Amino acid sequence: MSGQEVVFALLGVVAVGAGIMVVTTRQLVHAALWLVVTFGALAGGYLVLTAEFVAWVQVLIYVGAVVVLLLFGIMLTRAPIGESADLDSGNRWVAAGVALATAAVLVTVMAMGFRDDRMPLKAGGGSADELGASVFRTWVLPFEVLSVLLLASLVGAIVLSRTDIGGGADIGGGTDIGGRADEEGGA
Amino acid sequence: MHLAYPTVVAALLFSVGVYGVLARRNAILVLMSVELMLNAVNLNLVAFDIRFADRLHGGQVLTLFTIVIAAAEVGLGLAIVLLVYRNRRMVDVDRMDALAEERDAPSVPAAEAPAAEAPHEEAAR
């Protein structure tokens, strides 16, 4: 085991352990905070794999934006602070069986398929320089299409969360939540 | 570095996400589990990009695109969850059965379902 493998294995243990905490914890806010640990460990894994730019984008977008958005969602749905007993549905044992079967199949296939496959780790392969040139030279059309998709989803989120434009029948008491949902949609 | 390390970590992370999607009841927790699965896919993309030393960096660029799509997905998903909360005062995915088929006998829902759900349905509508 080389040093890189040791570091990556430790980061992988942290990521999977925090992921298990995300899906088993009884407190909603703690699940979001464990998600931060998972994403951070994965960003460290990307750094070990010499994908620096992807690692920093992971930190910026996932830890910075997605988790904050999820925390906003937890707050806006008035989730209880502290433990809540009914976060798991009744089919959790079936779900555990399915997940264990998935893990067994995938890990077996991966371990058998790539048992003695090594990859070269050369520093600088995933720098912002290289990736920027690649995005704006080869992949520029998907990049533009993706920006249109992002704009469409932004407009859709605003339309869904505003109450005064079309959004369908609203029940009484929706105004206070609607006001805050507007802020969320704008963010 | 062995290719088995990132792929095995990604496989485990993906199955943790599968468990979360199937077992969780709160819609926001389901969204978090979907994020876990997307991250497992990202790890695989980066690992195979490095493995094949792709000159065009297709794997890493696709990872960036997946991250953007995940951000758009969680934004829209949270907007939908907030809309559901605004209309029904709850975000439990296993109680959103307005489009479900009727259970077999009408006596069974009359016996147990209204006790649990009818007050809530009244409050929601």
Side-chain angles (χ1 to χ4, degrees), chain B residues 5-27:
Chain B
Y5 287 94
T7 47
V8 166
V9 168
L12 289 176
L13 213 57
F14 185 86
S15 39
V16 169
V18 167
Y19 171 78
V21 168
L22 291 179
R24 287 303 210 177
R25 172 178 278 168
N26 192 300

Short mmCIF file of all heavy atoms in Angstrom, two decimals, chain B residues 5-27:
data_model
loop_
_atom_site.label_atom_id
_atom_site.label_comp_id
_atom_site.label_asym_id
_atom_site.label_seq_id
_atom_site.Cartn_x
_atom_site.Cartn_y
_atom_site.Cartn_z
N TYR B 5 -9.63 1.00 -5.15
CA TYR B 5 -9.99 1.85 -4.00
C TYR B 5 -11.12 2.81 -4.33
O TYR B 5 -12.16 2.79 -3.66
CB TYR B 5 -8.77 2.61 -3.50
CG TYR B 5 -7.79 1.75 -2.76
CD1 TYR B 5 -6.72 1.17 -3.41
CD2 TYR B 5 -7.95 1.50 -1.40
CE1 TYR B 5 -5.83 0.36 -2.75
CE2 TYR B 5 -7.07 0.70 -0.72
CZ TYR B 5 -6.00 0.13 -1.40
OH TYR B 5 -5.13 -0.67 -0.73
N PRO B 6 -10.96 3.70 -5.35
CA PRO B 6 -12.08 4.60 -5.62
C PRO B 6 -13.35 3.91 -6.06
O PRO B 6 -14.44 4.33 -5.66
CB PRO B 6 -11.54 5.51 -6.73
CG PRO B 6 -10.26 4.99 -7.14
CD PRO B 6 -9.80 3.99 -6.18
N THR B 7 -13.23 2.82 -6.83
CA THR B 7 -14.46 2.17 -7.29
C THR B 7 -15.21 1.52 -6.14
O THR B 7 -16.44 1.57 -6.09
CB THR B 7 -14.14 1.14 -8.37
OG1 THR B 7 -13.06 0.35 -7.95
CG2 THR B 7 -13.78 1.82 -9.66
N VAL B 8 -14.47 0.91 -5.20
CA VAL B 8 -15.16 0.27 -4.07
C VAL B 8 -15.80 1.32 -3.17
O VAL B 8 -16.94 1.17 -2.71
CB VAL B 8 -14.17 -0.63 -3.29
CG1 VAL B 8 -14.75 -1.03 -1.95
CG2 VAL B 8 -13.86 -1.86 -4.09
N VAL B 9 -15.08 2.43 -2.94
CA VAL B 9 -15.68 3.52 -2.14
C VAL B 9 -16.94 4.04 -2.81
O VAL B 9 -17.97 4.26 -2.17
CB VAL B 9 -14.65 4.65 -1.92
CG1 VAL B 9 -15.34 5.88 -1.35
CG2 VAL B 9 -13.56 4.20 -0.99
N ALA B 10 -16.87 4.19 -4.15
CA ALA B 10 -18.04 4.69 -4.87
C ALA B 10 -19.19 3.70 -4.78
O ALA B 10 -20.35 4.10 -4.60
CB ALA B 10 -17.68 4.96 -6.33
N ALA B 11 -18.89 2.40 -4.88
CA ALA B 11 -19.96 1.40 -4.80
C ALA B 11 -20.62 1.43 -3.42
O ALA B 11 -21.85 1.40 -3.31
CB ALA B 11 -19.39 0.01 -5.09
N LEU B 12 -19.81 1.53 -2.36
CA LEU B 12 -20.39 1.57 -1.02
C LEU B 12 -21.24 2.83 -0.82
O LEU B 12 -22.34 2.77 -0.26
CB LEU B 12 -19.28 1.52 0.02
CG LEU B 12 -18.58 0.16 0.12
CD1 LEU B 12 -17.44 0.24 1.12
CD2 LEU B 12 -19.57 -0.90 0.57
N LEU B 13 -20.72 3.96 -1.31
CA LEU B 13 -21.46 5.21 -1.16
C LEU B 13 -22.79 5.14 -1.92
O LEU B 13 -23.82 5.61 -1.43
CB LEU B 13 -20.61 6.35 -1.69
CG LEU B 13 -20.73 7.71 -1.03
CD1 LEU B 13 -20.44 7.58 0.44
CD2 LEU B 13 -19.75 8.67 -1.66
N PHE B 14 -22.75 4.51 -3.10
CA PHE B 14 -23.98 4.39 -3.89
C PHE B 14 -25.00 3.55 -3.16
O PHE B 14 -26.19 3.88 -3.11
CB PHE B 14 -23.66 3.78 -5.26
CG PHE B 14 -24.82 3.73 -6.19
CD1 PHE B 14 -25.12 4.83 -6.97
CD2 PHE B 14 -25.61 2.61 -6.28
CE1 PHE B 14 -26.19 4.80 -7.83
CE2 PHE B 14 -26.69 2.58 -7.13
CZ PHE B 14 -26.97 3.67 -7.91
N SER B 15 -24.55 2.43 -2.52
CA SER B 15 -25.55 1.59 -1.86
C SER B 15 -26.07 2.25 -0.59
O SER B 15 -27.23 2.05 -0.22
CB SER B 15 -24.98 0.20 -1.57
OG SER B 15 -23.67 0.30 -1.17
N VAL B 16 -25.22 3.08 0.07
CA VAL B 16 -25.74 3.86 1.20
C VAL B 16 -26.83 4.80 0.71
O VAL B 16 -27.89 4.96 1.36
CB VAL B 16 -24.59 4.64 1.87
CG1 VAL B 16 -25.14 5.65 2.85
CG2 VAL B 16 -23.67 3.70 2.59
N GLY B 17 -26.62 5.41 -0.47
CA GLY B 17 -27.65 6.29 -1.02
C GLY B 17 -28.92 5.54 -1.38
O GLY B 17 -30.02 6.03 -1.16
N VAL B 18 -28.75 4.31 -1.89
CA VAL B 18 -29.93 3.49 -2.21
C VAL B 18 -30.74 3.22 -0.94
O VAL B 18 -31.96 3.37 -0.92
CB VAL B 18 -29.49 2.17 -2.87
CG1 VAL B 18 -30.65 1.19 -2.92
CG2 VAL B 18 -29.01 2.42 -4.28
N TYR B 19 -30.03 2.86 0.13
CA TYR B 19 -30.73 2.63 1.40
C TYR B 19 -31.48 3.87 1.84
O TYR B 19 -32.64 3.80 2.27
CB TYR B 19 -29.73 2.20 2.48
CG TYR B 19 -30.35 2.14 3.85
CD1 TYR B 19 -31.16 1.07 4.22
CD2 TYR B 19 -30.18 3.17 4.76
CE1 TYR B 19 -31.75 1.02 5.45
CE2 TYR B 19 -30.78 3.13 6.00
CZ TYR B 19 -31.56 2.05 6.34
OH TYR B 19 -32.16 2.02 7.56
N GLY B 20 -30.82 5.04 1.72
CA GLY B 20 -31.47 6.26 2.18
C GLY B 20 -32.71 6.59 1.38
O GLY B 20 -33.74 6.97 1.94
N VAL B 21 -32.63 6.41 0.05
CA VAL B 21 -33.79 6.71 -0.78
C VAL B 21 -34.95 5.80 -0.44
O VAL B 21 -36.11 6.21 -0.37
CB VAL B 21 -33.42 6.58 -2.28
CG1 VAL B 21 -34.66 6.60 -3.12
CG2 VAL B 21 -32.52 7.72 -2.68
N LEU B 22 -34.64 4.51 -0.18
CA LEU B 22 -35.73 3.57 0.06
C LEU B 22 -36.27 3.65 1.49
O LEU B 22 -37.46 3.44 1.71
CB LEU B 22 -35.25 2.14 -0.21
CG LEU B 22 -34.96 1.83 -1.67
CD1 LEU B 22 -34.48 0.41 -1.80
CD2 LEU B 22 -36.19 2.03 -2.50
N ALA B 23 -35.41 3.97 2.46
CA ALA B 23 -35.83 3.83 3.86
C ALA B 23 -36.30 5.13 4.47
O ALA B 23 -37.01 5.11 5.47
CB ALA B 23 -34.69 3.25 4.69
N ARG B 24 -35.90 6.26 3.92
CA ARG B 24 -36.24 7.51 4.59
C ARG B 24 -37.65 7.95 4.24
O ARG B 24 -38.15 7.64 3.15
CB ARG B 24 -35.24 8.61 4.19
CG ARG B 24 -33.90 8.43 4.81
CD ARG B 24 -33.99 8.37 6.29
NE ARG B 24 -32.76 8.91 6.88
CZ ARG B 24 -32.58 9.04 8.18
NH1 ARG B 24 -33.53 8.67 9.01
NH2 ARG B 24 -31.47 9.52 8.66
N ARG B 25 -38.26 8.67 5.14
CA ARG B 25 -39.63 9.10 4.95
C ARG B 25 -39.70 10.59 4.62
O ARG B 25 -40.52 11.02 3.83
CB ARG B 25 -40.41 8.81 6.23
CG ARG B 25 -41.78 9.37 6.25
CD ARG B 25 -42.46 9.00 7.52
NE ARG B 25 -43.03 7.64 7.43
CZ ARG B 25 -43.48 6.99 8.47
NH1 ARG B 25 -43.40 7.52 9.66
NH2 ARG B 25 -44.00 5.80 8.32
N ASN B 26 -38.82 11.36 5.19
CA ASN B 26 -38.82 12.81 4.95
C ASN B 26 -38.26 13.11 3.57
O ASN B 26 -37.22 12.57 3.17
CB ASN B 26 -37.95 13.46 6.03
CG ASN B 26 -38.11 14.95 6.04
OD1 ASN B 26 -37.82 15.60 5.05
ND2 ASN B 26 -38.57 15.49 7.14
N ALA B 27 -38.93 13.94 2.81
CA ALA B 27 -38.53 14.18 1.42
C ALA B 27 -37.16 14.83 1.33
O ALA B 27 -36.40 14.58 0.39
CB ALA B 27 -39.57 15.05 0.73
#
